[in-house]
Amino acid sequence: MSVPAGLPEPEVLVHTGGRAGFLTLNRPRAINALTHAMVRRIDEALTAWEDDPAVTTVVLRGAGERGLCAGGDIRAIHADARAGGTATLDFWRDEYRLNARIARLAKPYVAFMDGIVMGGGVGVSGHGSVRVVTERSRVAMPETGIGFVPDVGGTWLLGRAPGELGTHLALTGTQAGAADALLTGLADHFVPAADLPALAAELTRLPAAEAVARFARTAPPGELAGQREWIDECYRADTVEEIVRRLGDSGIPEAKETATVLLTRSPTALKATLAAVRRARTLDSLEAALDTEFRLSRAALRSPDLVEGIRAQVVDKDRNPRWTPPTLPEVTEAATESWFAPLPEGEELGLTPPGPAGS
């Protein structure tokens, strides 16, 4: 795609080649962080390709060398939250609907999860039918560090990870490399980063499964498989306080370090996240999880911790957030439960009909 001189490049490059339609997230200086316009453009492309017999495979990539997508544009979210605006809710509404659409796409959706893939980046890749990681992949839902909760279907994905591995990733925001992403069900195949251009070329002429099989290899060893025993034992506790206590008392250095990490996260976000992941395990669809996450995201947008967390991590970068309330015992069960309360009429995301699955 050529761009006339003087005009900025599109934030999403859209083109077809052979039998494939290519979506390239194109904000490399921001590690391709998602904007509302990008979400809309992806959705428009999927609409155009869904019934186009010439396009049999959709391929998602990220421009630059740093990663597929670092998540949503949290500076914009910070500004909107401080101003009490509605732009963020409008963005999330369309983003979550796109996440559900990707999961239900009738054609293979091949996501190149190379480099950094976090938050909203997981949303546009982790629900695809063919998810490819590389030795450079760092897949994470790091929301509790900014006073937020895993969204974009993250609770659905992490709630289905083996044992309590998903709980660990959700609460800590730990980055999963290739092997760990495969183990936890966040990805399907490992392909060396150097082979991605050749894989993209093959996808223009071969069925997705056949093309990926030509390049798939065994991923280098990860970390979570060797940590599974203490993770399952500690994270099966019913409360965040008990999880932290078990981690600290385990006698295992990695577990004790994890307890220290958790105590730096937003107490409110930790409790909402634990409840959300546990509830997601009982739901029968991604759409139901997204409906719940929309409620949680709306509550987070109106809480002091999201603005404070983004300030500390991204705006001022002092890495010293002042959470409200500051400790886990001060976050009551009633306060956590209020985040899950039904929204006023007309304000729900509404991907599922009213009833137990969507409530």
Side-chain angles (χ1 to χ4, degrees):
M1 173 186 289
S2 62
V3 179
L7 291 179
E9 281 201 343
E11 292 182 335
V12 180
L13 304 178
V14 179
H15 77 278
T16 58
R19 59 189 294 151
F22 290 88
L23 298 166
T24 304
L25 307 183
N26 190 39
R27 298 183 69 212
R29 293 181 62 183
I31 320 180
N32 303 313
L34 290 174
T35 65
H36 200 165
M38 293 169 73
V39 167
R40 288 172 173 156
R41 186 67 186 100
I42 295 169
D43 190 65
E44 289 170 359
L46 295 182
T47 297
W49 291 338
E50 204 158 29
D51 297 320
D52 184 349
V55 175
T56 61
T57 299
V58 176
V59 183
L60 178 74
R61 305 182 292 187
E65 296 295 320
R66 298 169 68 191
L68 172 67
C69 177
D73 187 341
I74 59 175
R75 285 183 177 271
I77 292 172
H78 180 262
D80 187 53
R82 290 190 65 189
T86 62
T88 298
L89 288 176
D90 294 338
F91 166 60
W92 284 334
R93 192 178 294 276
D94 285 344
E95 183 185 25
Y96 297 178
R97 286 172 174 165
L98 175 63
N99 301 148
R101 180 174 194 174
I102 289 169
R104 303 295 176 235
L105 198 68
K107 299 179 179 183
Y109 182 98
V110 183
F112 288 5
M113 301 173 70
D114 185 34
I116 291 174
V117 186
M118 297 185 183
V122 174
V124 294
S125 61
H127 304 297
S129 54
V130 184
R131 303 163 301 174
V132 175
V133 285
T134 76
E135 72 279 4
R136 305 188 300 195
S137 295
R138 297 294 179 268
V139 185
M141 298 296 294
E143 287 78 8
T144 60
I146 58 167
F148 195 46
V149 292
D151 65 336
V152 298
T155 62
W156 174 260
L157 293 170
L158 295 174
R160 278 150 182 75
E164 297 295 336
L165 295 179
T167 310
H168 171 64
L169 295 180
L171 293 181
T172 62
T174 297
Q175 298 179 16
D180 291 338
L182 294 167
L183 173 63
T184 53
L186 296 172
D188 305 302
H189 306 280
F190 170 79
V191 174
D195 288 342
L196 291 181
L199 171 57
E202 290 291 80
L203 287 166
T204 67
R205 66 182 194 88
L206 294 176
E210 183 179 345
V212 172
R214 292 191 174 195
F215 294 93
R217 302 289 184 268
T218 300
E223 298 179 359
L224 291 180
Q227 299 173 347
R228 175 79 186 272
E229 184 175 354
W230 65 259
I231 287 175
D232 284 355
E233 173 57 31
C234 295
Y235 283 93
R236 68 167 57 103
D238 292 332
T239 67
V240 180
E241 289 95 329
E242 178 61 14
I243 289 171
V244 172
R245 187 196 67 77
R246 291 187 184 186
L247 290 167
D249 292 348
S250 68
I252 299 169
E254 295 94 335
K256 298 185 76 168
E257 291 170 8
T258 300
T260 300
V261 168
L262 287 177
L263 292 175
T264 69
R265 305 304 195 232
S266 159
T268 299
L270 286 175
K271 291 202 171 182
T273 295
L274 179 63
V277 172
R278 296 277 163 86
R279 293 185 190 205
R281 293 173 179 169
T282 71
L283 300 177
D284 60 6
S285 70
L286 167 63
E287 287 83 355
L290 287 164
D291 278 343
T292 299
E293 290 172 1
F294 188 74
R295 295 177 181 177
L296 295 172
S297 298
R298 186 177 183 273
L301 190 65
R302 287 158 170 73
S303 77
D305 278 5
L306 179 59
V307 168
E308 172 61 11
I310 297 174
R311 179 207 65 76
Q313 299 298 334
V314 178
V315 179
D316 296 337
K317 299 182 180 179
D318 60 25
R319 307 292 191 265
N320 185 33
R322 295 179 289 277
W323 305 123
T324 305
T327 67
L328 287 166
E330 293 176 273
V331 182
T332 66
E333 184 175 347
T336 301
E337 190 64 28
S338 70
W339 282 38
F340 293 85
L343 303 181
E345 186 175 355
E347 295 185 21
E348 296 277 13
L349 182 61
L351 290 176
T352 55
S359 62

